[in-house]
Amino acid sequence: SAVISQKPSRDICQRGTSLTIQCQVDSQVTMMFWYRQQPGQSLTLIATANQGSEATYESGFVIDKFPISRPNLTFSTLTVSNMSPEDSSIYLCSVYTGQAAYEQYFGPGTRLTVT
Amino acid sequence: GENVEQHPSTLSVQEGDSAVIKCTYSDSASNYFPWYKQELGKRPQLIIDIRSNVGEKKDQRIAVTLNKTAKHFSLHITETQPEDSAVYFCAASPDSSASKIIFGSGTRLSIRP
């Protein structure tokens, strides 16, 4: 399986500010995804990060709030913009290796607290 | 779009007994069904998955069954151990490329000693 790292691992931010989360993979991967996991909840897909094109956002998530970059096949960033306390969550990237089993693996997550 | 329902939300079983978690999905085009285990403070870990061309898959103490007609799939854990305590998520992939997966709401499994 791919080795995935995220930075930062956690942060405490003030409302109205923005935070950029980085996701790095140790091998080239076809698909990268960004999820949000609110406290005690399941995982909700924010968007699919496409290399060389704009991200594909799920219903309820917009580019102005969650801009995403995917400059190459091993790296992506998610920015949480103009934060409010409701954005306090764990943000996880995941990758799909494209191999036969369609397996998705998750990064360790970024725990964001907005005060 | 795809909707995955999971139950129960919490489950407590005696150590050594079996645990069963059930999920239903709505999109008949879904063809890939993974299960993830998430321990407290950690990332979700893929523990087993099943494709739509098989009805059952087993890996040591865990097994997954799939009924495509009824759009049901289940996770079975036998001979439960304390380290099985975690939150378990089922998921379904709604498109043929299996690239996007939709998660169920999760089941918090507790193993009583």
Side-chain angles (χ1 to χ4, degrees):
Chain A
S1 63
V3 176
I4 309 164
S5 59
Q6 284 185 233
K7 290 182 181 179
S9 59
R10 59 178 62 224
D11 207 340
I12 301 173
C13 302
Q14 291 190 337
R15 67 175 68 206
T17 63
S18 298
L19 176 72
T20 295
I21 302 167
Q22 299 179 4
C23 179
Q24 179 76 53
V25 189
D26 69 340
S27 58
Q28 293 185 343
V29 294
T30 52
M31 309 291 286
M32 295 182 78
F33 306 90
W34 286 98
Y35 286 85
R36 180 175 74 183
Q37 187 173 30
Q38 294 178 306
Q41 302 296 311
S42 184
L43 295 96
T44 301
L45 181 63
I46 297 172
T48 302
N50 304 306
Q51 197 270 329
S53 64
E54 285 200 355
T56 304
Y57 289 84
E58 297 299 307
S59 176
F61 297 95
V62 295
I63 188 171
D64 289 347
K65 175 67 175 177
F66 297 102
I68 287 170
S69 77
R70 178 89 195 270
N72 57 53
L73 292 175
T74 64
F75 187 79
S76 178
T77 67
L78 169 75
T79 299
V80 186
S81 302
N82 188 24
M83 289 183 285
S84 67
E86 293 72 34
D87 294 319
S88 297
S89 286
I90 298 173
Y91 292 85
L92 302 107
C93 65
S94 75
V95 302
Y96 159 50
T97 63
Q99 296 171 7
Y102 300 155
E103 296 170 356
Q104 273 196 30
Y105 297 95
F106 284 85
T110 295
R111 183 179 295 272
L112 171 61
T113 302
V114 184
T115 61
Chain B
E2 176 65 277
N3 181 50
V4 179
E5 296 192 354
Q6 181 173 349
H7 58 94
S9 57
T10 61
L11 179 61
S12 178
V13 301
Q14 192 76 33
E15 182 177 351
D17 288 350
S18 296
V20 181
I21 302 170
K22 299 182 179 182
C23 291
T24 62
Y25 62 98
S26 62
D27 190 341
S28 57
S30 289
N31 61 3
Y32 174 62
F33 306 91
W35 287 85
Y36 286 83
K37 174 183 180 182
Q38 187 175 32
E39 297 176 355
L40 188 63
K42 298 196 174 178
R43 74 187 82 184
Q45 297 276 10
L46 178 68
I47 57 171
I48 195 167
D49 55 16
I50 191 167
R51 299 281 307 280
S52 60
N53 57 347
V54 298
E56 183 173 359
K57 183 176 177 181
K58 189 173 182 180
D59 183 3
Q60 299 183 354
R61 295 187 298 108
I62 59 173
V64 57
T65 59
L66 171 65
N67 182 331
K68 281 221 74 175
T69 303
K71 297 181 192 170
H72 289 172
F73 58 114
S74 300
L75 178 73
H76 304 252
I77 306 174
T78 59
E79 301 173 12
T80 53
Q81 301 171 3
E83 54 265 35
D84 295 329
S85 294
V87 179
Y88 290 82
F89 294 99
C90 64
S93 180
D95 60 49
S96 59
S97 66
S99 60
K100 180 170 77 170
I101 59 175
I102 304 301
F103 283 83
S105 55
T107 296
R108 183 174 300 279
L109 175 63
S110 300
I111 308 301
R112 302 190 304 271

